[in-house]
Amino acid sequence: MNVCMAATYDPDPSVPLGFRLPFHLDTGELLERRWRRWLAHDPVLLVKRCAGNLRRLRGVYLDCGWRDQYQIHYGTRQLSRRLTAAGIEHRYEEFDDDHSDIDYRMDVSLPFLYRALQP
């Protein structure tokens, strides 16, 4: 996951693998300059900058399991609160599960998105 995010958030064709990580591989120490590039893509931080566009959307749906093994429920809670504070309508649900084998949640999300996409 880190490699995929690095290739997206901080590509650099001049280095051997074509991207940079925001931390030292040897020590895990955060590299502030590199980390700032990653933060520019953080959905929680993007709410303020993108609020106008987000308000124009006809549907924003967020859900995650409260037992998510990647702990994304914490960031998703923050995102939902930022959206609320910015006056952006959205639907946020947490469910009793983790990040895996949750196709059954499509029974909830797809009808919401279908309705939002209707002309």
Side-chain angles (χ1 to χ4, degrees):
M1 193 177 319
N2 283 328
V3 169
C4 294
M5 289 187 292
T8 302
Y9 300 165
D10 201 359
D12 184 349
S14 71
V15 298
L17 295 175
F19 59 84
R20 296 189 179 268
L21 293 169
F23 52 86
H24 286 286
L25 283 175
D26 191 39
T27 64
E29 180 183 2
L30 197 61
L31 302 169
E32 288 297 329
R33 184 170 151 249
R34 304 258 63 98
W35 183 239
R36 281 193 301 274
R37 291 189 57 112
W38 282 49
L39 288 176
H41 300 278
D42 185 319
V44 174
L45 300 178
L46 283 171
V47 169
K48 186 174 184 178
R49 190 174 88 206
C50 300
N53 289 332
L54 289 166
R55 282 188 196 96
R56 286 193 281 278
L57 295 175
R58 296 192 320 220
V60 176
Y61 182 89
L62 307 166
D63 77 348
C64 62
W66 62 265
R67 292 185 286 123
D68 189 274
Q69 60 267 47
Y70 305 108
Q71 310 303 313
I72 67 167
H73 51 292
Y74 296 113
T76 310
R77 289 172 186 166
Q78 291 177 43
L79 178 57
S80 178
R81 288 182 179 133
R82 291 275 176 104
L83 291 169
T84 298
I88 298 163
E89 287 196 37
H90 66 285
R91 181 169 166 184
Y92 173 57
E93 293 184 10
E94 283 188 23
F95 51 90
D96 183 19
D97 212 336
D98 58 23
H99 202 88
S100 306
D101 299 318
I102 55 170
D103 292 348
Y104 66 90
R105 289 296 300 170
M106 286 192 237
D107 292 343
V108 179
S109 60
L110 291 181
F112 173 89
L113 295 170
Y114 175 81
R115 286 188 300 276
L117 293 173
Q118 293 304 299

